[in-house]
Amino acid sequence: MGRLDQSFIKSGNDLVFRICLPSMLFLSTASTHLSESFDRQLIGFGIALTLGSIALLSFVGRRWLRKGRLRVFVQGAFRGNLGIIGVAMVVNAYGESVLPKVGVFFAVLTLLYNISAIVVLGGGQGRGLVVSLAKNPLVKAIFAGSIWSMLSLPVPEVMHTTLSYLSDITLPLALICIGAGLQWRSFQSNLVPVAWASAYKLVLLPASAVIIGLLLHFEGQDIGILFMMMASPSAAASYVMADQMTDQGAMAGEIVAMTTLASAITTSIGLYVLASLNVLGL
């Protein structure tokens, strides 16, 4: 309708990347008791699965995608919306008692996701990588929140309320900017990598998490956490970072849009199948 121009999209993305998303990451990490709910096996498996995914996607994608599109393809396919959709699904399934466990899982993987995204999008270039990590507002927020949590510092009510307001803006504003920035011509030219990234994110990754998890004797709640976290759609932050660090922001937005729309179907089917097989511990 022409109501949102490129200036709004650019300013909105910058606001999400530098203020809103860091506020959400700091608040969620600072409010989590990291030491009390650290499940080494579950977190270790999540880390291994993520790093394995990045290696596999990079190896496969390298054969048919040029560098810029390859980096966005890899990030969109491995990086899930854990904090907003993944955690919400797990808590809805198992109740608030699971929040400390899934909260630590989320905090560790979010840090890994952001560091990995910087490596992938930046090409992993030596000193430039270290500088990018040091300057990245998302990494700063997670480290600050982790230190806050380890020192057991309370979050003052005024601070909590302010950060909550900013956190609540994150997903709606990011999705508005994604929608406003979608271009049909770009979508047509990116359709194949976007479709493959979406298929990996919504089907292959969660299926692999469950199958390998069962072979490693994970069961019940742990299988549920793995499935629901890995089956979440691509994170809106993947679009924000790609838009800031590459010239392929449109493709990143298309992956987020497609996975967000399709995840309602794929996640529902996956939960139905797993519940029928009695492996979720519900």
Side-chain angles (χ1 to χ4, degrees):
M1 295 173 65
R3 293 185 178 274
L4 304 179
D5 57 18
Q6 290 300 315
S7 177
F8 174 87
I9 297 170
K10 185 177 184 300
S11 298
N13 285 332
D14 193 63
L15 180 65
V16 171
F17 183 68
R18 300 186 184 282
I19 298 177
C20 298
L21 192 54
S23 296
M24 184 187 76
L25 293 174
F26 172 82
L27 189 59
S28 61
T29 307
S31 303
T32 301
H33 299 291
L34 300 177
S35 59
E36 296 177 7
S37 306
F38 196 92
D39 188 323
R40 293 183 180 179
Q41 291 183 324
L42 185 65
I43 292 172
F45 180 61
I47 292 173
L49 190 64
T50 299
L51 296 178
S53 293
I54 295 171
L56 176 62
L57 291 163
S58 299
F59 176 76
V60 173
R62 179 179 297 126
R63 298 173 178 272
W64 52 286
L65 290 171
R66 63 181 177 84
K67 285 185 178 180
R69 298 176 83 199
L70 171 62
R71 294 168 183 172
V72 171
F73 165 78
V74 172
Q75 188 205 200
F78 83 79
R79 187 177 186 181
N81 195 336
L82 304 185
I84 298 171
I85 296 179
V87 172
M89 286 196 295
V90 174
V91 173
N92 187 60
Y94 295 105
E96 292 191 4
S97 61
V98 76
L99 194 53
K101 185 176 186 178
V102 76
V104 174
F105 184 86
F106 155 73
V108 174
L109 256 67
T110 298
L111 177 59
L112 177 63
Y113 280 179
N114 281 285
I115 293 175
S116 299
I118 294 171
V119 174
V120 170
L121 294 175
Q125 299 299 318
R127 183 174 179 275
L129 170 61
V130 176
V131 173
S132 294
L133 287 172
K135 290 183 176 180
N136 188 277
L138 309 185
V139 175
K140 287 181 182 178
I142 293 173
F143 271 119
S146 299
I147 293 172
W148 199 283
S149 174
M150 287 186 288
L151 294 176
S152 299
L153 297 174
V155 179
E157 186 176 349
V158 172
M159 179 180 177
H160 188 281
T161 301
T162 303
L163 292 176
S164 294
Y165 286 151
L166 293 170
S167 300
D168 291 343
I169 299 172
T170 303
L171 185 60
L173 182 56
L175 291 177
I176 286 171
C177 291
I178 289 169
L182 286 177
Q183 299 175 0
W184 176 241
R185 290 181 181 176
S186 171
F187 203 106
Q188 287 179 309
S189 64
N190 293 327
L191 184 58
V192 174
V194 168
W196 275 109
S198 300
Y200 185 87
K201 184 69 199 73
L202 299 179
V203 180
L204 297 178
L205 179 57
S208 299
V210 170
I211 293 171
I212 299 173
L214 289 172
L215 292 175
L216 294 176
H217 305 294
F218 286 103
E219 57 185 21
Q221 191 179 90
D222 288 347
I223 291 295
I225 290 174
L226 287 171
F227 173 76
M228 284 179 264
M229 297 294 268
M230 295 303 159
S232 61
S234 295
S238 65
Y239 160 72
V240 176
M241 288 189 67
D243 188 65
Q244 294 279 327
M245 299 179 66
T246 75
D247 60 353
Q248 295 293 323
M251 178 177 162
E254 290 151 15
I255 294 173
V256 174
M258 182 174 283
T259 55
T260 299
L261 290 171
S263 64
I265 298 172
T266 56
T267 303
S268 297
I269 293 173
L271 287 173
Y272 176 79
V273 171
L274 294 177
S276 300
L277 296 174
N278 294 317
V279 298
L280 294 177
L282 295 172

PDB file of all heavy atoms in Angstrom, residues 6 9 178-190 250 254:
ATOM      1  N   GLN A   6      11.457   2.689   2.411  1.00  0.00           N
ATOM      2  CA  GLN A   6      12.759   2.100   2.724  1.00  0.00           C
ATOM      3  C   GLN A   6      13.405   2.749   3.936  1.00  0.00           C
ATOM      4  O   GLN A   6      14.133   2.098   4.696  1.00  0.00           O
ATOM      5  CB  GLN A   6      13.686   2.207   1.509  1.00  0.00           C
ATOM      6  CG  GLN A   6      13.296   1.312   0.339  1.00  0.00           C
ATOM      7  CD  GLN A   6      13.294  -0.152   0.726  1.00  0.00           C
ATOM      8  OE1 GLN A   6      14.211  -0.648   1.377  1.00  0.00           O
ATOM      9  NE2 GLN A   6      12.238  -0.863   0.347  1.00  0.00           N
ATOM     10  N   ILE A   9      11.977   1.046   6.974  1.00  0.00           N
ATOM     11  CA  ILE A   9      12.515  -0.309   7.101  1.00  0.00           C
ATOM     12  C   ILE A   9      13.931  -0.275   7.664  1.00  0.00           C
ATOM     13  O   ILE A   9      14.278  -1.043   8.575  1.00  0.00           O
ATOM     14  CB  ILE A   9      12.486  -1.028   5.740  1.00  0.00           C
ATOM     15  CG1 ILE A   9      11.046  -1.191   5.257  1.00  0.00           C
ATOM     16  CG2 ILE A   9      13.165  -2.389   5.831  1.00  0.00           C
ATOM     17  CD1 ILE A   9      10.926  -1.670   3.832  1.00  0.00           C
ATOM     18  N   ILE A 178      10.220  -7.116   7.837  1.00  0.00           N
ATOM     19  CA  ILE A 178      10.381  -8.223   6.888  1.00  0.00           C
ATOM     20  C   ILE A 178       9.294  -8.164   5.829  1.00  0.00           C
ATOM     21  O   ILE A 178       9.556  -8.247   4.626  1.00  0.00           O
ATOM     22  CB  ILE A 178      10.338  -9.578   7.628  1.00  0.00           C
ATOM     23  CG1 ILE A 178      11.609  -9.765   8.458  1.00  0.00           C
ATOM     24  CG2 ILE A 178      10.187 -10.734   6.626  1.00  0.00           C
ATOM     25  CD1 ILE A 178      11.538 -10.932   9.420  1.00  0.00           C
ATOM     26  N   GLY A 179       8.050  -8.006   6.277  1.00  0.00           N
ATOM     27  CA  GLY A 179       6.933  -7.942   5.333  1.00  0.00           C
ATOM     28  C   GLY A 179       7.049  -6.756   4.401  1.00  0.00           C
ATOM     29  O   GLY A 179       6.824  -6.869   3.187  1.00  0.00           O
ATOM     30  N   ALA A 180       7.427  -5.602   4.946  1.00  0.00           N
ATOM     31  CA  ALA A 180       7.543  -4.393   4.129  1.00  0.00           C
ATOM     32  C   ALA A 180       8.688  -4.495   3.131  1.00  0.00           C
ATOM     33  O   ALA A 180       8.650  -3.884   2.063  1.00  0.00           O
ATOM     34  CB  ALA A 180       7.756  -3.179   5.037  1.00  0.00           C
ATOM     35  N   GLY A 181       9.702  -5.290   3.469  1.00  0.00           N
ATOM     36  CA  GLY A 181      10.867  -5.405   2.592  1.00  0.00           C
ATOM     37  C   GLY A 181      10.769  -6.530   1.577  1.00  0.00           C
ATOM     38  O   GLY A 181      11.640  -6.649   0.705  1.00  0.00           O
ATOM     39  N   LEU A 182       9.738  -7.387   1.670  1.00  0.00           N
ATOM     40  CA  LEU A 182       9.597  -8.497   0.726  1.00  0.00           C
ATOM     41  C   LEU A 182       9.342  -7.968  -0.681  1.00  0.00           C
ATOM     42  O   LEU A 182       8.522  -7.080  -0.883  1.00  0.00           O
ATOM     43  CB  LEU A 182       8.453  -9.416   1.139  1.00  0.00           C
ATOM     44  CG  LEU A 182       8.697 -10.330   2.344  1.00  0.00           C
ATOM     45  CD1 LEU A 182       7.440 -11.122   2.657  1.00  0.00           C
ATOM     46  CD2 LEU A 182       9.867 -11.270   2.094  1.00  0.00           C
ATOM     47  N   GLN A 183      10.045  -8.539  -1.629  1.00  0.00           N
ATOM     48  CA  GLN A 183       9.867  -8.168  -3.032  1.00  0.00           C
ATOM     49  C   GLN A 183       9.611  -9.434  -3.834  1.00  0.00           C
ATOM     50  O   GLN A 183      10.409 -10.369  -3.791  1.00  0.00           O
ATOM     51  CB  GLN A 183      11.116  -7.445  -3.559  1.00  0.00           C
ATOM     52  CG  GLN A 183      11.418  -6.160  -2.798  1.00  0.00           C
ATOM     53  CD  GLN A 183      12.715  -5.523  -3.248  1.00  0.00           C
ATOM     54  OE1 GLN A 183      13.395  -6.030  -4.128  1.00  0.00           O
ATOM     55  NE2 GLN A 183      13.061  -4.402  -2.624  1.00  0.00           N
ATOM     56  N   TRP A 184       8.486  -9.474  -4.566  1.00  0.00           N
ATOM     57  CA  TRP A 184       8.099 -10.692  -5.262  1.00  0.00           C
ATOM     58  C   TRP A 184       9.155 -11.133  -6.279  1.00  0.00           C
ATOM     59  O   TRP A 184       9.457 -12.312  -6.405  1.00  0.00           O
ATOM     60  CB  TRP A 184       6.761 -10.494  -5.957  1.00  0.00           C
ATOM     61  CG  TRP A 184       6.337 -11.675  -6.782  1.00  0.00           C
ATOM     62  CD1 TRP A 184       6.115 -11.711  -8.106  1.00  0.00           C
ATOM     63  CD2 TRP A 184       6.100 -13.009  -6.303  1.00  0.00           C
ATOM     64  NE1 TRP A 184       5.754 -12.980  -8.495  1.00  0.00           N
ATOM     65  CE2 TRP A 184       5.736 -13.792  -7.413  1.00  0.00           C
ATOM     66  CE3 TRP A 184       6.170 -13.604  -5.037  1.00  0.00           C
ATOM     67  CZ2 TRP A 184       5.432 -15.149  -7.312  1.00  0.00           C
ATOM     68  CZ3 TRP A 184       5.883 -14.948  -4.930  1.00  0.00           C
ATOM     69  CH2 TRP A 184       5.516 -15.712  -6.042  1.00  0.00           C
ATOM     70  N   ARG A 185       9.761 -10.162  -7.000  1.00  0.00           N
ATOM     71  CA  ARG A 185      10.776 -10.531  -7.980  1.00  0.00           C
ATOM     72  C   ARG A 185      11.963 -11.199  -7.308  1.00  0.00           C
ATOM     73  O   ARG A 185      12.514 -12.181  -7.801  1.00  0.00           O
ATOM     74  CB  ARG A 185      11.236  -9.286  -8.735  1.00  0.00           C
ATOM     75  CG  ARG A 185      10.177  -8.712  -9.681  1.00  0.00           C
ATOM     76  CD  ARG A 185      10.703  -7.493 -10.414  1.00  0.00           C
ATOM     77  NE  ARG A 185       9.693  -6.934 -11.300  1.00  0.00           N
ATOM     78  CZ  ARG A 185       9.858  -5.832 -12.007  1.00  0.00           C
ATOM     79  NH1 ARG A 185      11.013  -5.156 -11.912  1.00  0.00           N
ATOM     80  NH2 ARG A 185       8.892  -5.380 -12.790  1.00  0.00           N
ATOM     81  N   SER A 186      12.358 -10.645  -6.149  1.00  0.00           N
ATOM     82  CA  SER A 186      13.467 -11.232  -5.394  1.00  0.00           C
ATOM     83  C   SER A 186      13.096 -12.620  -4.907  1.00  0.00           C
ATOM     84  O   SER A 186      13.890 -13.554  -4.937  1.00  0.00           O
ATOM     85  CB  SER A 186      13.827 -10.326  -4.212  1.00  0.00           C
ATOM     86  OG  SER A 186      14.735 -10.958  -3.360  1.00  0.00           O
ATOM     87  N   PHE A 187      11.843 -12.781  -4.454  1.00  0.00           N
ATOM     88  CA  PHE A 187      11.385 -14.070  -3.949  1.00  0.00           C
ATOM     89  C   PHE A 187      11.468 -15.119  -5.040  1.00  0.00           C
ATOM     90  O   PHE A 187      11.879 -16.267  -4.795  1.00  0.00           O
ATOM     91  CB  PHE A 187       9.945 -13.943  -3.446  1.00  0.00           C
ATOM     92  CG  PHE A 187       9.569 -14.995  -2.441  1.00  0.00           C
ATOM     93  CD1 PHE A 187       9.447 -14.676  -1.100  1.00  0.00           C
ATOM     94  CD2 PHE A 187       9.345 -16.296  -2.826  1.00  0.00           C
ATOM     95  CE1 PHE A 187       9.109 -15.632  -0.171  1.00  0.00           C
ATOM     96  CE2 PHE A 187       8.999 -17.267  -1.910  1.00  0.00           C
ATOM     97  CZ  PHE A 187       8.874 -16.937  -0.580  1.00  0.00           C
ATOM     98  N   GLN A 188      11.088 -14.756  -6.262  1.00  0.00           N
ATOM     99  CA  GLN A 188      11.139 -15.692  -7.377  1.00  0.00           C
ATOM    100  C   GLN A 188      12.573 -16.128  -7.659  1.00  0.00           C
ATOM    101  O   GLN A 188      12.838 -17.313  -7.879  1.00  0.00           O
ATOM    102  CB  GLN A 188      10.525 -15.057  -8.627  1.00  0.00           C
ATOM    103  CG  GLN A 188       9.005 -14.945  -8.571  1.00  0.00           C
ATOM    104  CD  GLN A 188       8.441 -14.298  -9.822  1.00  0.00           C
ATOM    105  OE1 GLN A 188       8.891 -13.228 -10.230  1.00  0.00           O
ATOM    106  NE2 GLN A 188       7.467 -14.939 -10.439  1.00  0.00           N
ATOM    107  N   SER A 189      13.495 -15.191  -7.643  1.00  0.00           N
ATOM    108  CA  SER A 189      14.890 -15.533  -7.946  1.00  0.00           C
ATOM    109  C   SER A 189      15.546 -16.322  -6.821  1.00  0.00           C
ATOM    110  O   SER A 189      16.505 -17.072  -7.056  1.00  0.00           O
ATOM    111  CB  SER A 189      15.691 -14.258  -8.223  1.00  0.00           C
ATOM    112  OG  SER A 189      15.758 -13.440  -7.066  1.00  0.00           O
ATOM    113  N   ASN A 190      15.045 -16.168  -5.585  1.00  0.00           N
ATOM    114  CA  ASN A 190      15.624 -16.868  -4.425  1.00  0.00           C
ATOM    115  C   ASN A 190      14.829 -18.105  -4.015  1.00  0.00           C
ATOM    116  O   ASN A 190      15.120 -18.711  -2.988  1.00  0.00           O
ATOM    117  CB  ASN A 190      15.688 -15.922  -3.219  1.00  0.00           C
ATOM    118  CG  ASN A 190      16.668 -14.786  -3.424  1.00  0.00           C
ATOM    119  OD1 ASN A 190      17.687 -14.947  -4.082  1.00  0.00           O
ATOM    120  ND2 ASN A 190      16.369 -13.636  -2.861  1.00  0.00           N
ATOM    121  N   ALA A 250      17.077  -9.298   1.698  1.00  0.00           N
ATOM    122  CA  ALA A 250      15.772  -9.722   1.166  1.00  0.00           C
ATOM    123  C   ALA A 250      15.621 -11.237   1.229  1.00  0.00           C
ATOM    124  O   ALA A 250      14.566 -11.752   1.630  1.00  0.00           O
ATOM    125  CB  ALA A 250      15.615  -9.238  -0.277  1.00  0.00           C
ATOM    126  N   GLU A 254      12.907 -13.534   3.356  1.00  0.00           N
ATOM    127  CA  GLU A 254      12.040 -14.518   2.712  1.00  0.00           C
ATOM    128  C   GLU A 254      12.090 -15.859   3.433  1.00  0.00           C
ATOM    129  O   GLU A 254      11.074 -16.552   3.557  1.00  0.00           O
ATOM    130  CB  GLU A 254      12.454 -14.663   1.241  1.00  0.00           C
ATOM    131  CG  GLU A 254      12.104 -13.433   0.407  1.00  0.00           C
ATOM    132  CD  GLU A 254      13.037 -13.196  -0.764  1.00  0.00           C
ATOM    133  OE1 GLU A 254      13.790 -14.135  -1.123  1.00  0.00           O
ATOM    134  OE2 GLU A 254      13.021 -12.092  -1.322  1.00  0.00           O
TER     135      GLU A 254
END
